[in-house]
Amino acid sequence: MSAVRDRESAPVITGVGVVAPNGLDRETWWRATLEGSSGLGRISRFDPAGYPVTVAGEATGFRAADHAPARLVAETDAMTQYAFAAANEALADAGVAEDSLADLDMAAITANSSGGVEFGQRELQKLYSEGPQAVGAYMSIAWFYAATTGQLSIRHGMRGPCGVLCSEQAGGLDVLAQARRVLAKGTRLVLSGGTDASLSPYGLVCQLSNGRLSEEPRPERAFVPFDPAAGGYVPGEGGAILVVESAADARARGAGRIYAELAGYAATTDPRPGSGRPPGIRRALELALADAGTAPEDIDVVFADGYGVPELDRQEAEAVTGVFGPAGVPVTVPKTMTGRLYAGGAALDVAAAVLALRDQVIPPSVNVRPDPAHHLDLVTDRPREASLRTALVLARGYGGFNAAVVLRAA
Amino acid sequence: MSSISFDDLKAVIGRCIGEADGQEITEGDLGTPFTDLGYDSLAVLEIASQLQREYGLKIPDEAIESMESPQAVIDYVNTSLAAV
């Protein structure tokens, strides 16, 4: 429990960049999201016929060469290339002149889960088919969890306290907490958020082991969280990069837009399976509200994690209704249009939440026929105009990670 | 093949760095350190690996460390090829 912080030193989001399956830049993605236009489809990057999972959210049409020089493209995996594009967009959006800040005052802190799995698969294939001499030198850095943070740090001259967080889908919120910590210690600007790319054959097989992926071949039925027919989730790629700085700094430099303040955050871990103790998602939610000094009635919209696995959907719905009451707050899952982006997932939900605050509209969850047993006021099919001041974003990562963030319009 | 030219080296770099965006080096860059041309140590390692494969050379690690510019690479490779 912390006291409500001084609003001047509060971290605020001033730039947003996006690469998603249903839109390769922020405004294109946001328009598609409000239109309910899904990016899910049959996997096209390789022939999925031999795999139990055939549907994914691919960032189709993305051209790395449009966002970074060839020599950087050659040494990076798609996960990092998405971050190059989203970081360019976020920094331009924030209107930060990078030379206006000392390199030690800026940091890149991103979430990662997939690693550079497509790049890694290519080099491993060279290893077993041609021998060690054929493996490229960039294998040493491209498939590493920290590759994206490192490349952003080098490219944008950010030599402050950089880092990478690996807590699967919760990572996109955990990085905001880490941004808050380093800003409190004097760092002036943080590139936050996360991107992932897990859609190579090897990457897909790695994911199959968690037993939570949807084997439904129809894209419009493959990922339907909170629906009686929920049967797992669909993987996706992409994510969001966010520019975070203090409210005082943003105002002092005349930032064009302050999207939202990071008002509260909390993370919990689930108990050991079979312990009989309750899952940690409700506690994360309550602790984030307490951290923000916010009552449940002050929350105008909830961006749910929406796992799409019946038992996990039930746990999350119980956490939400336990705090807000039955149908007590509008809930939405725009990731029904992208799939679960792992480290990019919660970061993209934060982007959706701050754009919802900007435009005073709640994006829909598509293809879902809500199970009445969950007692959720789920915004389906069409966007809902609403007076929005405060949004809550929930995220759960495989392995027992839970995180919650409260975002308040500045 | 008893020697390599600047164009041969440029082609090797193109094959391993995949350059086709107008950032390629020119003959005027021959004496410029790789670091000033925007190539990090891994890029030089990658270029050396490619040369080993294409020209059947064995380039020891310490030789790679001394390849500070495109000209140094050409000189080393041509000395090695002449000794074969």
Side-chain angles (χ1 to χ4, degrees):
Chain A
M1 287 285 287
S2 67
V4 179
R5 287 173 192 77
D6 165 26
R7 297 292 299 270
E8 275 305 282
S9 63
V12 294
I13 294 168
T14 55
V16 178
V18 166
V19 172
N22 59 338
L24 301 178
D25 63 79
R26 183 186 63 249
E27 299 303 328
T28 304
W29 158 77
W30 183 236
R31 271 195 305 275
T33 298
L34 292 179
E35 287 165 5
S37 170
S38 173
L40 302 188
R42 184 175 168 86
I43 292 171
S44 67
R45 193 150 324 159
F46 56 93
D47 179 6
Y51 299 83
V53 171
T54 55
V55 174
E58 296 176 313
T60 307
F62 179 84
R63 283 171 35 91
D66 295 344
H67 306 283
R71 62 186 67 161
L72 280 184
V73 173
E75 64 178 67
T76 48
D77 179 82
M79 66 168 187
T80 301
Q81 293 158 8
Y82 298 149
F84 283 148
N88 291 345
E89 187 177 38
L91 287 164
D93 188 32
V96 178
E98 288 169 53
D99 52 7
S100 68
L101 288 165
D103 54 4
L104 290 169
D105 288 337
M106 301 184 286
I109 301 170
T110 65
N112 192 270
S113 177
S114 65
V117 70
E118 192 171 16
F119 193 108
Q121 172 168 357
R122 202 166 55 233
E123 299 301 324
L124 288 169
Q125 284 170 317
K126 286 184 197 166
L127 176 66
Y128 64 69
S129 59
E130 300 170 52
Q133 287 304 317
V135 177
Y138 290 120
M139 179 63 179
S140 60
I141 57 167
W143 77 329
F144 188 37
Y145 286 123
T148 299
T149 281
Q151 291 284 7
L152 290 178
S153 161
I154 294 166
R155 190 168 190 205
H156 297 290
M158 297 179 170
R159 297 177 60 217
C162 295
V164 58
L165 280 116
C166 305
S167 42
E168 219 243 16
Q169 186 101 5
L173 301 187
D174 293 332
V175 288
L176 287 174
Q178 181 62 10
R180 182 166 81 175
R181 288 182 200 108
V182 304
L183 288 169
K185 290 179 183 168
T187 298
R188 303 282 300 280
L189 184 139
V190 180
L191 267 188
S192 182
T195 51
D196 254 350
S198 57
L199 300 177
S200 75
Y202 165 48
L204 183 63
V205 169
C206 288
Q207 296 164 65
L208 294 176
S209 63
N210 74 24
R212 294 176 173 179
L213 269 65
S214 169
E215 299 185 4
E216 164 63 54
R218 291 170 298 168
E220 69 282 3
R221 296 308 297 150
F223 181 37
V224 286
F226 303 118
D227 184 308
Y233 73 89
V234 161
E237 60 179 353
I241 298 291
L242 310 163
V243 173
V244 188
E245 56 192 312
S246 77
D249 269 358
R251 289 198 181 90
R253 70 174 181 83
R257 176 185 296 281
I258 295 177
Y259 284 97
E261 172 195 332
L262 171 61
Y265 160 85
T268 61
T269 47
D270 286 331
R272 179 177 50 78
S275 70
R277 296 199 302 278
I281 182 71
R282 178 167 176 175
R283 221 159 30 90
L285 193 170
E286 290 171 331
L287 290 169
L289 294 185
D291 186 48
T294 299
E297 54 269 26
D298 296 328
I299 298 292
D300 302 310
V301 60
V302 174
F303 287 77
D305 178 65
Y307 227 121
V309 174
E311 173 64 7
L312 298 168
D313 284 354
R314 187 185 58 75
Q315 291 173 359
E316 189 179 20
E318 284 178 0
V320 171
T321 54
V323 171
F324 297 98
V329 65
V331 176
T332 192
V333 191
K335 63 172 70 74
T336 46
M337 291 171 256
T338 64
R340 289 178 70 82
L341 308 187
Y342 301 107
L348 191 67
D349 278 341
V350 169
V354 302
L355 292 177
L357 293 173
R358 180 190 73 179
D359 295 346
Q360 297 290 288
V361 62
I362 301 170
S365 318
V366 301
N367 302 322
V368 178
R369 295 184 285 261
D371 186 339
H374 290 315
H375 302 293
L376 291 176
D377 173 18
L378 201 65
V379 178
T380 53
D381 302 324
R382 264 178 302 284
R384 184 190 297 180
E385 290 189 11
S387 174
L388 304 174
R389 188 168 145 62
T390 311
L392 172 75
V393 181
L394 299 175
R396 306 176 80 184
Y398 180 76
F401 299 101
N402 303 285
V405 153
V406 177
L407 298 160
R408 194 182 287 132
Chain B
M1 176 65 73
S2 56
S3 71
I4 66 163
S5 64
F6 167 76
D7 285 335
D8 295 330
L9 175 64
K10 193 170 148 179
V12 166
I13 293 175
R15 277 191 287 279
C16 58
I17 313 288
E19 293 203 332
D21 62 354
Q23 302 286 313
E24 301 86 351
I25 56 168
T26 66
E27 289 213 54
D29 298 321
L30 273 170
T32 310
F34 277 117
T35 46
D36 294 351
L37 296 169
Y39 292 101
D40 56 30
S41 57
L42 284 175
V44 179
L45 189 61
E46 190 77 17
I47 292 163
S49 310
Q50 190 76 15
L51 286 164
Q52 293 186 86
R53 285 201 296 277
E54 289 190 31
Y55 293 92
L57 295 167
K58 283 240 179 300
I59 307 178
D61 288 353
E62 46 278 13
I64 296 173
E65 283 164 27
S66 68
M67 291 178 174
E68 288 170 355
S69 66
Q71 188 65 57
V73 175
I74 292 171
D75 292 348
Y76 180 90
V77 171
N78 287 340
T79 304
S80 304
L81 289 172
V84 171

